[in-house]
Amino acid sequence: MRLRLPEERPTEPPTGYKIAHPVLSQDGTRAGFTGVSLGGALPYGVLDEAHCVYGRRHRAPHRRCDCGFHCVHDSAAAEAMLCTAEHRAAVLLDVTVLGAYIRFEQGFRYARQRVRAATVGPCACGAVAGALADAGWGRPGWRALTAACAGCVRGRTSLSLASFARLAGEGLRVRAGSGAVAAPADLGVSELVAEAALLQARLDWFQTQLARLDEGGQQAR
């Protein structure tokens, strides 16, 4: 006799939380996410359907496979995963579970999902993130992005949080989490005076070096 799992028929789709890395397509026209575990090789959109990561033809989620999207019930459990070194650059996702799902003690494994909101952590310098910038790695056809403040973006490929949400579509909301320090864009008068003094000191040093080079050239003649 074949054992059948109990079926649930909720009046509203269940919700959950997970972490993922934001990604940008190579041509810069699409935005999405890539997982931090089994599904990391398959970037997905805000509204997407799961596929078997092993290439099998069954529909996800299959009881005898690990395929399907994964999420946990509690946001605190998802945030705890952001503490590990390999997941520090990931973002926290608030998702709606769609289609068939298998319920576990701590979460779901399911067929389809809609990412409702993404919370971006602070920049590596500790400031509140104002953009998502090239993280220096990716998947074929996709660039991984990481949180960055205005002062740390520099010349990297980047998107504002609003631009990422617009590219991702489907009503995605992207917000910045709290940071440990203020962003460089919010410098006060005293900080700006200190920055100006530092720039002047550097300029004086360059002028000194140029003067030495000019003296050396005249002696060589």
Side-chain angles (χ1 to χ4, degrees):
M1 183 175 65
R2 185 177 179 181
L3 178 65
R4 298 193 63 176
L5 296 174
E7 294 186 1
E8 297 182 18
R9 298 188 181 277
T11 56
E12 295 182 356
T15 59
Y17 303 89
K18 63 192 302 181
I19 64 173
H21 294 286
V23 293
L24 177 68
S25 64
Q26 183 178 1
D27 59 7
T29 61
R30 292 175 295 159
F33 302 94
T34 187
V36 297
S37 57
L38 284 176
L42 301 174
Y44 54 85
V46 171
L47 178 62
D48 215 332
E49 183 174 350
H51 301 280
C52 180
V53 295
Y54 304 109
R56 297 169 183 166
R57 296 182 179 181
H58 56 240
R59 297 178 63 181
H62 195 277
R63 285 196 300 144
R64 299 180 180 178
C65 187
D66 296 328
C67 59
F69 291 122
H70 295 71
C71 74
V72 294
H73 299 305
D74 188 6
S75 62
E79 290 175 3
M81 292 186 282
L82 294 172
C83 294
T84 62
E86 63 270 28
H87 298 155
R88 287 291 180 93
V91 300
L92 177 67
L93 303 184
D94 181 342
V95 302
T96 299
V97 175
L98 302 174
Y101 62 81
I102 299 175
R103 180 187 290 271
F104 294 93
E105 181 180 359
Q106 295 186 348
F108 299 99
R109 182 160 62 91
Y110 50 102
R112 300 178 65 239
Q113 77 175 3
R114 179 188 295 275
V115 181
R116 299 186 301 180
T119 302
V120 181
C123 175
C125 72
V128 176
L132 290 168
D134 191 342
W137 64 275
R139 309 295 185 203
W142 295 87
R143 292 187 179 93
L145 304 176
T146 188
C149 67
C152 294
V153 169
R154 297 187 176 90
R156 291 183 291 170
T157 300
S158 64
L159 288 172
S160 68
L161 303 188
S163 296
F164 181 88
R166 185 169 57 253
L167 278 181
E170 300 293 341
L172 174 70
R173 304 188 308 275
V174 182
R175 52 180 176 260
S178 59
V181 298
D186 298 329
L187 293 178
V189 174
S190 59
E191 289 84 357
L192 290 173
V193 170
E195 289 289 334
L198 178 60
L199 290 174
Q200 184 62 51
R202 290 176 177 173
L203 179 60
D204 292 342
W205 182 85
F206 278 115
Q207 289 177 335
T208 301
Q209 299 303 312
L210 288 173
R212 290 178 178 176
L213 290 174
D214 186 53
E215 291 176 358
Q218 291 179 353
Q219 292 176 358
R221 291 174 188 174

